[in-house]
Amino acid sequence: MNFLGKQYVGAVATALVIGWSAVASAGVITIIERESRGNLSLFAGSGGAVDQYANDDEKADLTGAFGFGDSWDVAIDESQPYSLGTAGAIGSISVSDNVTQVSPGTLVLTATRSASGAASVISGASNASSTQGQTFRVRFTTGADPVNYTLTGDFDPGAITGVIGDARTISLRRPFTANQPVLIETAVSGIYETGTLPANQTWELFVKMTDMTIANAGSPYAADTSSLNITLTLTSVPEPASACLLAGASWVLLTRKPRRPVK
């Protein structure tokens, strides 16, 4: 092979590498932040006599699974010093989530939850509360190509009491803007949301469920359950320009004849 022929083959190889690199980088979904958290807190008390419990765990790794599970109960009664009544709270929670990226252009986010709580006041001016919390937040960028999304599953946030700190929501949103393609705040059996996220933007899946039940002398018993089971699948979709970049460059080079040496 003469010198010009080697130059031609080298140019084709270089173009192929550049073309593949451009297409590959265009279809990348990049995870930039992840927050997973679960917690259980219980309280029962009156007149200075208090029994309480709190436990929580969190994970910030960009990929991988997170799991938290706990159950407990607390109680006070009038035989305890300074107690003005009898009250108790019980609670349990099991949550898990997972961030999986099997290829640069595919991201799968899953979250589950099963939780219950009850609070009761038997006598006196006591108070009791049972709280189960869960947060799952993943922030990512779509790269140079748009991304198709599909959200499926079930969502039962339990009773909406309006108590401060009581929040139940699933959202797919663009941070710091009003752009929110998906917002679910009430119970849905059979979620099915689909759409496309534009390229070169930052997006976030945000799941938060804080289920709080409160009992006092005016409302002596409260109980609630909540559950969650969702999957969000994100797939990068190469735009025509990206898809044709490699094919076009390769075709031009491969159909171009190398110059013959001048005799």
Side-chain angles (χ1 to χ4, degrees), residues 16-17 19 24-25 38 44 52-53 71 78-79 93 96 108 124-125 145 186 188 193 197 214 222 229 239 254 260:
L16 288 172
V17 170
S25 62
Q52 53 189 330
Y53 173 83
S71 62
E78 292 184 356
S79 65
I93 182 171
S96 66
V108 179
D145 285 326
T186 57
V188 180
E193 298 276 351
L197 305 179
I214 294 177
N229 183 12
E239 292 184 313
L254 289 173
R260 295 183 180 275

Side-chain angles (χ1 to χ4, degrees), residues 75-78 84-89 119-128 215-217 219-221:
I76 64 156
D77 59 61
E78 292 184 356
L84 300 178
T86 300
S120 60
V121 172
I122 308 302
S123 63
S126 300
N127 295 280
N216 51 46
S219 178
Y221 181 78

Side-chain angles (χ1 to χ4, degrees), residues 16-78:
L16 288 172
V17 170
I18 293 173
W20 278 118
S21 299
V23 172
S25 62
V28 173
I29 301 172
T30 303
I31 307 166
I32 57 177
E33 192 174 355
R34 186 260 189 91
E35 176 190 8
S36 296
R37 179 184 294 274
N39 62 76
L40 171 67
S41 59
L42 307 172
F43 172 87
S46 69
V50 170
D51 190 7
Q52 53 189 330
Y53 173 83
N55 185 25
D56 65 83
D57 194 15
E58 62 182 321
K59 180 184 181 74
D61 296 351
L62 295 184
T63 60
F66 167 80
F68 175 81
D70 196 17
S71 62
W72 205 260
D73 67 87
V74 298
I76 64 156
D77 59 61
E78 292 184 356

